[in-house]
Amino acid sequence: MSLTPVLLGLGSNIARESHLLAGLEALSEVLSGMRCSPVFESLAVGIRSDNFYNLVVHGFTALPLLELDRRLKFIEADNGRYAPDRKGLPLDIDVLTYADLAGQFDGLLLPRPEILKNAFVLWPLALLAPDTRHPGVGRTFAELWAAASIDQQLWPVPFQWRGLELTPNALTEAYPRPDCRA
Protein backbone atom coordinates (compact mmCIF):
# COMPACT_ATOMS: atom_id res chain seq x y z
CA MET A 1 0.00 0.00 0.00
CA SER A 2 1.45 3.36 -1.01
CA LEU A 3 1.45 6.28 1.38
CA THR A 4 0.77 9.85 0.35
CA PRO A 5 2.51 12.81 2.01
CA VAL A 6 0.13 15.43 3.37
CA LEU A 7 0.38 18.76 5.12
CA LEU A 8 -2.50 19.76 7.38
CA GLY A 9 -3.22 23.05 9.11
CA LEU A 10 -4.76 23.03 12.60
CA GLY A 11 -6.26 25.96 14.48
CA SER A 12 -8.34 26.67 17.57
CA ASN A 13 -9.56 29.70 19.49
CA ILE A 14 -11.54 27.94 22.24
CA ALA A 15 -9.72 25.88 24.90
CA ARG A 16 -6.92 26.09 22.36
CA GLU A 17 -4.41 23.77 23.97
CA SER A 18 -6.85 20.98 24.81
CA HIS A 19 -8.47 21.05 21.35
CA LEU A 20 -5.13 21.02 19.53
CA LEU A 21 -3.92 18.15 21.72
CA ALA A 22 -7.11 16.21 21.02
CA GLY A 23 -6.70 16.92 17.30
CA LEU A 24 -3.09 15.71 17.31
CA GLU A 25 -4.05 12.52 19.15
CA ALA A 26 -6.83 11.82 16.64
CA LEU A 27 -4.53 12.56 13.70
CA SER A 28 -1.95 10.13 15.04
CA GLU A 29 -4.55 7.41 14.29
CA VAL A 30 -4.89 8.59 10.67
CA LEU A 31 -1.31 9.58 9.77
CA SER A 32 2.01 7.79 10.02
CA GLY A 33 5.38 9.50 10.46
CA MET A 34 3.66 12.55 11.92
CA ARG A 35 5.78 15.66 12.53
CA CYS A 36 4.54 18.99 13.91
CA SER A 37 5.57 22.58 13.41
CA PRO A 38 5.94 24.99 16.29
CA VAL A 39 2.67 26.40 17.58
CA PHE A 40 1.84 30.04 16.94
CA GLU A 41 -0.65 32.38 18.55
CA SER A 42 -2.23 34.90 16.24
CA LEU A 43 -4.85 37.56 16.21
CA ALA A 44 -8.01 36.42 14.45
CA VAL A 45 -8.14 37.07 10.72
CA GLY A 46 -11.45 37.88 9.06
CA ILE A 47 -13.56 37.42 12.21
CA ARG A 48 -13.92 39.06 15.61
CA SER A 49 -12.80 36.46 18.11
CA ASP A 50 -10.23 35.44 20.65
CA ASN A 51 -6.68 34.74 19.50
CA PHE A 52 -5.97 31.48 17.70
CA TYR A 53 -3.36 28.80 18.20
CA ASN A 54 -2.17 27.34 14.87
CA LEU A 55 0.28 24.72 13.71
CA VAL A 56 1.01 22.55 10.69
CA VAL A 57 1.33 18.76 10.67
CA HIS A 58 3.17 16.63 8.13
CA GLY A 59 2.44 12.95 7.79
CA PHE A 60 1.68 10.11 5.45
CA THR A 61 -1.71 8.56 4.77
CA ALA A 62 -3.06 5.57 2.87
CA LEU A 63 -6.44 7.31 2.63
CA PRO A 64 -7.64 8.84 -0.63
CA LEU A 65 -8.01 12.62 -0.44
CA LEU A 66 -11.78 12.75 0.02
CA GLU A 67 -11.75 10.03 2.68
CA LEU A 68 -8.99 11.90 4.54
CA ASP A 69 -11.06 15.09 4.40
CA ARG A 70 -14.11 13.18 5.68
CA ARG A 71 -12.10 11.83 8.62
CA LEU A 72 -10.86 15.34 9.42
CA LYS A 73 -14.49 16.54 9.55
CA PHE A 74 -15.26 13.75 12.06
CA ILE A 75 -12.32 14.84 14.24
CA GLU A 76 -13.55 18.44 14.08
CA ALA A 77 -17.08 17.30 14.98
CA ASP A 78 -15.79 15.28 17.95
CA ASN A 79 -14.27 18.53 19.21
CA GLY A 80 -17.48 20.56 18.90
CA ARG A 81 -16.79 22.25 15.57
CA TYR A 82 -20.35 21.82 14.31
CA ALA A 83 -22.25 22.19 17.59
CA PRO A 84 -25.18 24.58 17.07
CA ASP A 85 -24.43 26.54 20.26
CA ARG A 86 -20.65 26.78 19.87
CA LYS A 87 -18.90 30.07 20.36
CA GLY A 88 -15.69 30.43 18.39
CA LEU A 89 -13.80 27.67 16.63
CA PRO A 90 -12.88 24.70 18.83
CA LEU A 91 -10.89 22.85 16.15
CA ASP A 92 -10.29 23.48 12.47
CA ILE A 93 -8.24 21.03 10.38
CA ASP A 94 -7.55 21.79 6.72
CA VAL A 95 -5.75 19.78 4.05
CA LEU A 96 -3.09 22.20 2.86
CA THR A 97 -1.42 19.84 0.40
CA TYR A 98 -1.99 16.25 -0.65
CA ALA A 99 1.15 15.05 -2.46
CA ASP A 100 1.55 17.48 -5.37
CA LEU A 101 -2.11 17.69 -6.35
CA ALA A 102 -3.27 21.02 -7.71
CA GLY A 103 -6.84 21.86 -8.67
CA GLN A 104 -10.44 21.35 -7.52
CA PHE A 105 -11.27 17.98 -5.99
CA ASP A 106 -14.95 17.62 -5.11
CA GLY A 107 -15.04 21.04 -3.48
CA LEU A 108 -11.49 20.99 -2.12
CA LEU A 109 -9.08 23.46 -3.71
CA LEU A 110 -5.47 22.28 -3.47
CA PRO A 111 -3.03 23.51 -2.58
CA ARG A 112 -5.09 25.48 -0.09
CA PRO A 113 -5.04 29.22 -0.98
CA GLU A 114 -4.52 30.18 2.69
CA ILE A 115 -0.92 28.99 2.40
CA LEU A 116 0.01 32.14 0.51
CA LYS A 117 -2.37 34.49 2.35
CA ASN A 118 -1.87 33.74 6.04
CA ALA A 119 1.33 34.00 8.04
CA PHE A 120 -0.07 31.52 10.59
CA VAL A 121 0.01 28.90 7.81
CA LEU A 122 3.10 29.90 5.82
CA TRP A 123 5.52 30.48 8.72
CA PRO A 124 4.86 27.05 10.31
CA LEU A 125 5.15 25.45 6.86
CA ALA A 126 8.48 27.18 6.28
CA LEU A 127 9.78 25.83 9.60
CA LEU A 128 8.39 22.30 9.26
CA ALA A 129 8.94 21.67 5.54
CA PRO A 130 11.32 24.39 4.33
CA ASP A 131 12.48 22.50 1.24
CA THR A 132 9.05 21.29 0.16
CA ARG A 133 7.79 23.02 -2.96
CA HIS A 134 4.35 24.59 -3.12
CA PRO A 135 2.55 22.47 -5.75
CA GLY A 136 1.00 25.47 -7.49
CA VAL A 137 3.82 28.01 -7.31
CA GLY A 138 6.86 25.73 -7.47
CA ARG A 139 8.88 27.65 -4.87
CA THR A 140 9.82 26.16 -1.51
CA PHE A 141 7.91 27.14 1.60
CA ALA A 142 11.11 28.69 2.98
CA GLU A 143 11.47 30.84 -0.15
CA LEU A 144 7.82 31.85 -0.02
CA TRP A 145 8.10 32.83 3.66
CA ALA A 146 11.29 34.82 3.05
CA ALA A 147 9.56 36.77 0.26
CA ALA A 148 6.19 37.15 2.05
CA SER A 149 4.87 40.50 3.13
CA ILE A 150 1.80 39.41 5.07
CA ASP A 151 0.54 41.96 7.58
CA GLN A 152 -0.56 39.71 10.45
CA GLN A 153 0.47 39.55 14.08
CA LEU A 154 1.58 36.16 15.31
CA TRP A 155 4.20 34.79 17.66
CA PRO A 156 5.42 31.36 18.73
CA VAL A 157 4.08 29.94 22.00
CA PRO A 158 5.40 27.10 24.18
CA PHE A 159 3.51 23.88 23.44
CA GLN A 160 4.10 20.22 24.25
CA TRP A 161 2.60 17.06 22.82
CA ARG A 162 3.47 13.60 24.12
CA GLY A 163 6.35 15.08 26.10
CA LEU A 164 7.89 16.73 23.05
CA GLU A 165 8.44 20.47 22.99
CA LEU A 166 6.94 21.51 19.65
CA THR A 167 8.02 25.13 19.96
CA PRO A 168 11.73 25.54 20.71
CA ASN A 169 12.63 28.04 23.45
CA ALA A 170 14.99 29.80 21.05
CA LEU A 171 12.03 30.58 18.78
CA THR A 172 9.86 32.02 21.56
CA GLU A 173 12.81 34.07 22.80
CA ALA A 174 13.59 35.40 19.30
CA TYR A 175 9.95 36.34 18.66
CA PRO A 176 8.34 37.36 21.97
CA ARG A 177 4.66 38.09 22.29
CA PRO A 178 4.00 41.65 21.12
CA ASP A 179 2.29 44.17 23.32
CA CYS A 180 -1.25 43.74 22.02
CA ARG A 181 -4.66 43.05 23.49
CA ALA A 182 -5.54 39.37 23.52
Side-chain angles (χ1 to χ4, degrees):
M1 165 183 336
S2 73
L3 296 175
T4 303
V6 296
L7 287 161
L8 307 175
L10 283 75
S12 174
N13 75 340
I14 298 174
R16 302 172 300 187
E17 188 169 330
S18 62
H19 283 118
L20 287 183
L21 290 171
L24 291 172
E25 286 303 322
L27 286 175
S28 72
E29 302 291 322
V30 177
L31 302 177
S32 62
M34 209 165 99
R35 294 183 304 116
C36 302
S37 76
V39 175
F40 288 84
E41 183 174 3
S42 66
L43 301 179
V45 174
I47 61 171
R48 295 176 68 107
S49 77
D50 294 333
N51 290 355
F52 277 81
Y53 273 10
N54 294 281
L55 77 149
V56 171
V57 170
H58 176 273
F60 297 90
T61 185
L63 298 173
L65 172 61
L66 298 179
E67 177 62 19
L68 173 64
D69 189 58
R70 190 176 73 81
R71 295 263 183 104
L72 300 180
K73 300 299 176 231
F74 285 137
I75 295 169
E76 290 175 336
D78 286 346
N79 282 276
R81 166 76 190 260
Y82 306 107
D85 59 344
R86 78 172 167 91
K87 303 218 181 333
L89 190 59
L91 184 63
D92 181 41
I93 308 174
D94 295 319
V95 178
L96 301 174
T97 66
Y98 184 91
D100 58 357
L101 289 181
Q104 277 278 357
F105 302 91
D106 201 24
L108 287 176
L109 180 58
L110 293 179
R112 192 145 176 111
E114 287 84 344
I115 293 172
L116 300 176
K117 295 177 183 173
N118 291 315
F120 59 81
V121 178
L122 187 53
W123 192 3
L125 276 170
L127 293 172
L128 181 63
D131 299 324
T132 300
R133 294 195 176 279
H134 182 287
V137 177
R139 296 174 65 197
T140 68
F141 292 124
E143 291 169 337
L144 290 168
W145 177 245
S149 59
I150 304 170
D151 185 24
Q152 293 172 356
Q153 281 192 305
L154 73 155
W155 51 94
V157 293
F159 198 93
Q160 288 188 353
W161 177 56
R162 293 185 173 178
L164 297 172
E165 194 67 49
L166 298 186
T167 309
N169 286 337
L171 189 63
T172 57
E173 291 169 6
Y175 299 95
R177 187 181 200 282
D179 184 22
C180 61
R181 302 265 178 220

